[in-house]
C-alpha cells in the first residue's frame, strides 16, 4: 500500500499538474467526477480515494504513486539501481568512491522521504567507514539505519544491528558486541522469526568475538548452526562470509584441512562475485591457517598478498591487522628487524578504540622481540601495555598467554612476587576453559 501525502499536499500537486497541462477543472474531472469535486480537492478540503487519484493520474498522464506521494516509481527504481552500483563499487575495493556515492544517494533518499533507501545508504556508509577504520562513525551510521527501520520486523533490522556489533567488536568491546548479537538471536529464535539469512548473518558474526573471549564451545555451536542454515540461504556473499568465520572454529579444534577447505570455498565465491576486500580477507585467514600449521613460507605469501590487496584499496584498519599477523610470521622466520619495523608502523594507526586486540598483539610481539634482544625493560613495557588492552577487551585466551610471558620475564629479573601476581591473573582467566562472563546461551533455531 502506498503511504500517501496529506490532502493539502496532494491538492496543490493536482492543481500544479493540471495548470502545467493546460486543463480546466471540468476537463480533469469528466466523465467520472464534477468540477466542484476537483476544486474542493485542490483546496485540500477532501481526502481523495484511491479510485479518484487513479482517475486523476490517468487524466494528468502521471503514475498513481507520483500523484499520491510526489515520487515516481521510476525515481525509486533508479535510486535502488544506483544503490546496487554503489554496493558493487564497495565490493571491488573502491571504498572512498563508494562512500561518496552512498552519501549522495542518502541525501537524495532523504529529500524524497524514501526511508528504506535511506537505511540502505546508511548501511553502505557504515560498511565503508569500517573498512577505513572509522569505527565511531560506523556505529553512528548503523544506529541511524536502525532508527530508519525501527518499525520494520527484526530480520530486516538485523544487518544494521550486526554492523553496529561489528564496530564495537573491532573497537575491542567484545562483551557488548556479543550481547547485541546474542540478544538478536534470542529474539529471533524465541519469537519464531526463523529467517535463514538473518540467522546466518548473526551466527557467522558472533564466532569471532566468542573465540577472542575464550568461549570456544559457543563458537563451535554457532558454527554448527551456521553450516546447517547455509543450504537455505541464496546469497552467495553471505555463505562465503559464513565459511570464512567457520574456518576459525575448525582451526581451534585442530581440523586444519577442513579449515583450509572452508576458506577455499569462501575464496572461490568471492572471486566469482569479484568482492576484492573479502577475497583479501580469505588470503589473510589462509595465512593464519598456514602459520598455525607451521607452514611459515606459505603463510608469509598469503599474508603479503592480503596486505597488498587491502593497502591498495585503503582498507586501513584491516591492513593494520594483517600487518600484525605478518610480523609474527616474519619474526618466526628470523626476520625480527623487519617485523619490528612493521609493528611500529602499525601502532601509529591502531589505538585502544580502534583495533584494540591487534594493538595488544603488536605490543606482545614487540615484547618478545625485545626479550630476544635482551632489552627486558622495553619487553616489560610492551607486555604491560598489551595486558591493559586485553583486560579492557575481555580477551581471555590471549590474556592468559600474555600473563605467562610477563610472569616469566618478572621471575627471570628477580621480582618473584610480581611474577606470582602475573601468573595468578593468568590463572584467573583459565579457571573455566571455554567459558566467559556471558549469560545463558541464546535460544536455538529449529534445525
Amino acid at each position: 500500500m502506498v503511504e500517501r501525502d496529506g490532502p493539502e499536499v496532494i491538492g496543490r500537486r493536482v492543481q500544479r499538474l493540471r495548470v502545467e497541462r493546460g486543463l480546466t477543472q471540468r476537463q480533469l474531472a469528466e466523465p467520472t467526477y464534477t468540477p466542484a469535486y476537483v476544486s474542493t480537492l485542490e483546496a485540500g478540503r477532501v481526502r481523495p480515494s484511491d479510485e479518484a487519484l487513479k482517475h486523476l493520474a490517468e487524466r494528468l498522464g502521471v503514475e498513481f504513486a507520483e500523484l499520491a506521494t510526489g515520487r515516481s516509481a521510476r525515481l525509486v527504481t533508479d535510486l535502488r539501481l544506483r544503490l546496487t552500483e554503489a554496493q558493487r563499487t564497495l565490493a571491488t575495493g573502491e571504498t572512498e568512491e563508494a562512500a561518496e556515492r552512498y552519501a549522495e544517494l542518502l541525501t537524495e533518499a532523504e529529500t524524497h522521504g524514501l526511508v528504506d533507501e535511506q537505511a540502505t545508504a546508511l548501511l553502505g556508509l557504515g560498511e565503508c567507514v569500517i573498512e577505513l577504520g572509522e569505527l565511531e562513525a560506523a556505529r553512528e551510521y548503523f544506529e541511524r539505519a536502525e532508527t530508519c527501520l525501527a518499525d520494520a520486523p527484526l530480520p530486516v533490522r538485523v544487518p544494521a544491528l550486526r554492523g553496529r556489533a561489528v564496530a564495537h567488536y573491532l573497537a575491542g568491546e567484545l562483551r557488548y558486541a556479543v550481547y547485541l548479537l546474542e540478544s538478536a538471536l534470542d529474539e529471533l529464535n524465541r519469537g519464531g522469526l526463523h529467517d535463514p539469512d538473518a540467522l546466518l548473518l548473526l551466527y557467522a558474526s558472533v564466532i569471532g568475538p566468542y573465540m577472542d573471549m575464550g568461549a570456544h564451545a559457543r563458537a563451535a555451536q554457532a558454527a554448527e548452526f551456521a553450516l546447517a542454515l547455509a543450504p537455505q540461504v541464496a546469497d552467495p556473499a553471505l555463505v562465503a562470509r559464513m565459511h570464512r568465520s567457520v574456518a576459525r572454529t575448525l582451526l581451534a579444534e585442530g581440523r586444519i584441512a577442513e579449515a583450509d577447505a572452508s576458506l577455499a570455498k569462501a575464496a572461490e565465491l568471492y572471486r566469482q562475485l569479484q568482492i576484492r576486500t573479502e577475497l583479501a580477507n580469505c588470503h589473510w585467514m589462509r595465512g593464519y591457517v598456514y602459520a598455525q600449521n607451521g607452514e611459515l613460507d606459505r603463510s608469509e605469501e598469503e599474508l603479503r598478498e592480503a596486505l597488498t590487496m587491502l593497502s591498495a584499496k585503503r582498507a586501513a584498519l584491516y591492513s593494520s591487522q594483517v600487518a600484525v599477523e605478518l610480523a609474527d610470521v616474519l619474526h618466526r622466520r628470523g626476520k625480527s628487524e623487519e617485523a619490528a619495523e612493521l609493528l611500529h608502523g602499525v601502532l601509529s594507526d591502531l589505538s585502544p578504540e580502534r583495533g584494540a586486540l591487534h594493538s595488544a598483539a603488536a605490543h606482545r610481539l614487540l615484547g618478545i622481540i625485545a626479550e630476544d634482544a635482551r632489552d627486558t625493560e622495553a619487553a616489560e613495557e610492551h607486555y604491560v601495555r598489551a595486558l591493559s588492552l586485553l583486560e579492557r577487551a575481555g580477551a581471555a585466551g590471549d590474556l592468559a598467554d600474555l600473563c605467562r610471558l610477563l610472569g616469566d620475564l618478572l621471575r627471570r629479573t628477580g621480582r618473584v612476587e610480581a611474577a606470582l601476581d602475573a601468573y595468578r591473573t593468568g590463572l584467573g582467566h583459565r579457571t573455566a576453559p571455554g567459558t566467559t562472563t556471558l549469560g545463558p546461551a541464546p535460544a536455538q533455531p529449529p534445525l
Side-chain angles (χ1 to χ4, degrees):
M1 182 179 176
V2 176
E3 189 173 331
R4 305 191 316 182
D5 289 330
E8 290 183 3
V9 176
I10 291 176
R12 287 195 298 271
R13 186 175 298 131
V14 169
Q15 185 180 44
R16 175 177 58 79
L17 291 169
R18 178 179 62 78
V19 172
E20 285 176 1
R21 284 152 178 75
L23 298 173
T24 64
Q25 290 180 338
R26 179 179 299 281
Q27 288 172 325
L28 181 59
E30 291 179 344
T32 311
Y33 298 93
T34 65
Y37 175 76
V38 172
S39 176
T40 305
L41 187 153
E42 289 183 349
R45 295 197 297 268
V46 64
R47 184 175 184 82
S49 65
D50 284 354
E51 289 73 21
L53 280 182
K54 287 174 183 176
H55 166 81
L56 296 172
E58 183 179 348
R59 299 287 288 171
L60 291 166
V62 298
E63 298 165 344
F64 169 78
E66 183 174 355
L67 197 59
T69 68
R71 303 185 297 267
S72 70
R74 195 176 300 109
L75 180 147
V76 176
T77 302
D78 176 66
L79 187 58
R80 288 175 179 169
L81 179 62
R82 286 184 286 142
L83 283 166
T84 302
E85 290 170 354
Q87 184 180 24
R88 171 57 56 192
T89 302
L90 175 60
T92 55
E94 303 298 334
T95 309
E96 292 179 342
E97 183 184 341
E100 290 177 7
R101 290 192 183 186
Y102 276 125
E104 292 170 2
L105 293 166
L106 174 61
T107 301
E108 196 170 330
E110 288 173 339
T111 300
H112 294 287
L114 299 169
V115 177
D116 289 347
E117 287 69 27
Q118 286 179 51
T120 302
L122 287 164
L123 283 171
L125 281 167
E127 295 292 344
C128 288
V129 295
I130 272 191
E131 289 201 9
L132 295 170
E134 300 168 15
L135 299 180
E136 187 174 342
R139 286 197 297 272
E140 290 175 4
Y141 283 130
F142 289 128
E143 285 169 2
R144 287 172 62 188
E146 285 187 85
T147 301
C148 284
L149 299 169
D151 296 329
L154 178 57
V156 177
R157 290 183 277 120
V158 159
L161 188 149
R162 176 260 175 195
R164 186 157 58 95
V166 168
H168 283 289
Y169 169 48
L170 291 173
E173 300 164 17
L174 274 63
R175 288 190 182 88
Y176 188 61
V178 168
Y179 163 75
L180 289 173
L181 295 167
E182 284 196 338
S183 297
L185 281 166
D186 198 54
E187 188 176 344
L188 283 171
N189 288 326
R190 289 189 188 281
L193 302 170
H194 302 125
D195 183 287
D197 287 50
L199 287 169
L200 184 63
L201 184 58
L202 292 169
Y203 280 123
S205 300
V206 81
I207 288 171
Y210 277 157
M211 294 294 291
D212 288 334
M213 293 183 74
H216 297 153
R218 285 203 188 179
Q221 187 178 54
E224 182 182 331
F225 290 148
L227 287 166
L229 286 161
Q232 303 173 47
V233 173
D235 182 357
L238 182 51
V239 173
R241 179 181 288 168
M242 179 275 299
H243 278 301
R244 187 160 60 83
S245 298
V246 166
R248 200 170 168 190
T249 66
L250 295 170
L251 187 62
E253 295 169 2
R255 297 155 66 183
I256 292 172
E258 292 175 66
D260 195 32
S262 193
L263 286 169
K265 290 178 187 175
E268 181 56 33
L269 285 167
Y270 287 135
R271 282 192 195 93
Q272 292 171 10
L273 296 166
Q274 296 182 320
I275 302 180
R276 294 276 296 172
T277 302
E278 294 290 3
L279 180 57
N281 287 339
C282 284
H283 282 293
W284 173 7
M285 193 67 188
R286 292 190 90 171
Y288 179 73
V289 169
Y290 290 141
Q292 297 301 305
N293 200 34
E295 300 175 67
L296 299 182
D297 53 342
R298 296 181 72 184
S299 176
E300 181 180 343
E301 182 182 335
E302 292 283 353
L303 292 172
R304 285 194 187 278
E305 178 67 16
L307 186 57
T308 299
M309 292 175 72
L310 292 169
S311 298
K313 299 306 176 186
R314 300 184 184 179
L317 182 58
Y318 294 146
S319 296
S320 298
Q321 293 175 341
V322 172
V324 173
E325 298 195 18
L326 175 58
D328 180 53
V329 171
L330 291 172
H331 169 65
R332 289 165 65 184
R333 299 196 72 188
K335 305 175 185 179
S336 294
E337 287 187 13
E338 185 182 352
E341 184 179 348
L342 193 58
L343 291 168
H344 283 299
V346 162
L347 285 172
S348 64
D349 294 327
L350 296 173
S351 69
E353 294 76 31
R354 183 173 176 272
L357 296 181
H358 282 78
S359 184
H363 279 297
R364 173 189 176 278
L365 185 50
L366 282 169
I368 292 172
I369 292 171
E371 270 204 87
D372 291 344
R374 304 190 189 285
D375 187 349
T376 55
E377 186 176 336
E380 183 179 345
E381 182 180 342
H382 284 299
Y383 288 154
V384 169
R385 286 188 182 182
L387 183 64
S388 173
L389 289 164
L390 292 173
E391 282 189 316
R392 190 180 309 164
D398 291 341
L399 210 157
D401 175 65
L402 185 66
C403 287
R404 177 188 59 78
L405 289 170
L406 178 59
D408 289 349
L409 174 65
L410 293 169
R411 181 169 54 81
R412 282 196 299 273
T413 55
R415 288 170 286 173
V416 178
E417 285 299 320
L420 286 171
D421 285 340
Y423 290 140
R424 289 189 193 103
T425 301
L427 286 170
H429 291 279
R430 282 295 192 193
T431 51
T435 64
T436 67
T437 55
L438 299 171
Q444 299 179 7
L447 298 174

